Amino acid sequence: LLPTWTAQKDAWQLVDPSNCCCGTPGAVSGLQLPSSNISGQLAALQGATALYSSLLLFNVENNCLRGPLDSIGHFRQLQGVYLAQNALTGSLPSTVANLNALKVLDVQSNRLNGTLPDVLLQLPEIDSLYIQDNRCESEQQAIAAASAGKLSNC
């Protein structure tokens, strides 16, 4: 957990080994904290780049995280990002171009706006994109990509 995030659940439950996966000692490769009543700014991740540099899976869906997604592009090894049902704002940043291993991006049911960065649909591994229930024009782009065979889910 990040120092600026708070949680309603017992702190021991949040640091249970089943909530994170560690490949190499001291490196976290997966963080799974869905429905944990976590609140705070997602931007706090930017200060934790060294700790989470090996992150492959990031699942904090159905919490109370808010703010823009700017920091997400700093985690270059991410394969699965699950941020659905929070209070995230702004648009998807162009730094998603850094996420060459990204397979799944789930940001549905937030307060995102704007359009999808063109580079997102050009990522080599992207398979599933969930962006519905936001305030953006991006849904039409994803539907077009799905019908062109680029995405299996949108």
Side-chain angles (χ1 to χ4, degrees):
L1 218 49
L2 298 172
T4 58
W5 288 5
T6 59
Q8 300 296 322
K9 285 187 174 183
D10 182 353
W12 288 111
Q13 190 172 4
L14 293 176
V15 295
D16 184 304
S18 65
N19 291 332
C20 69
C21 312
C22 301
T24 54
V28 177
S29 61
L31 188 60
Q32 297 192 65
L33 297 167
S35 306
S36 298
N37 292 318
I38 298 171
S39 63
Q41 293 282 330
L42 189 64
L45 275 176
Q46 200 157 350
T49 306
L51 177 62
Y52 296 120
S53 63
S54 300
L55 206 58
L56 303 176
L57 173 68
F58 184 59
N59 181 351
V60 290
E61 63 187 4
N62 196 27
N63 281 290
C64 301
L65 295 173
R66 59 192 182 286
L69 291 169
D70 297 340
S71 59
I72 206 71
H74 297 286
F75 302 93
R76 297 173 183 258
Q77 296 185 42
L78 278 171
Q79 295 176 9
V81 177
Y82 300 87
L83 300 168
Q85 299 174 338
N86 279 285
L88 302 173
T89 57
S91 60
L92 288 170
S94 60
T95 57
V96 298
N98 299 333
L99 306 177
N100 286 320
L102 189 65
K103 295 179 181 182
V104 178
L105 178 63
D106 185 352
V107 292
Q108 65 186 323
S109 301
N110 279 286
R111 298 176 186 155
L112 300 176
N113 58 38
T115 58
L116 288 176
D118 290 334
V119 70
L120 178 63
L121 299 177
Q122 297 168 3
L123 290 173
E125 300 297 324
I126 194 76
D127 178 62
S128 300
L129 179 61
Y130 303 93
I131 58 168
Q132 55 271 41
D133 298 324
N134 280 290
R135 302 172 182 164
C136 55
E137 302 111 36
S138 302
E139 288 185 50
Q140 293 304 318
Q141 285 176 279
I143 291 168
S147 63
K150 174 63 182 164
L151 301 173
S152 63
N153 297 299
C154 65

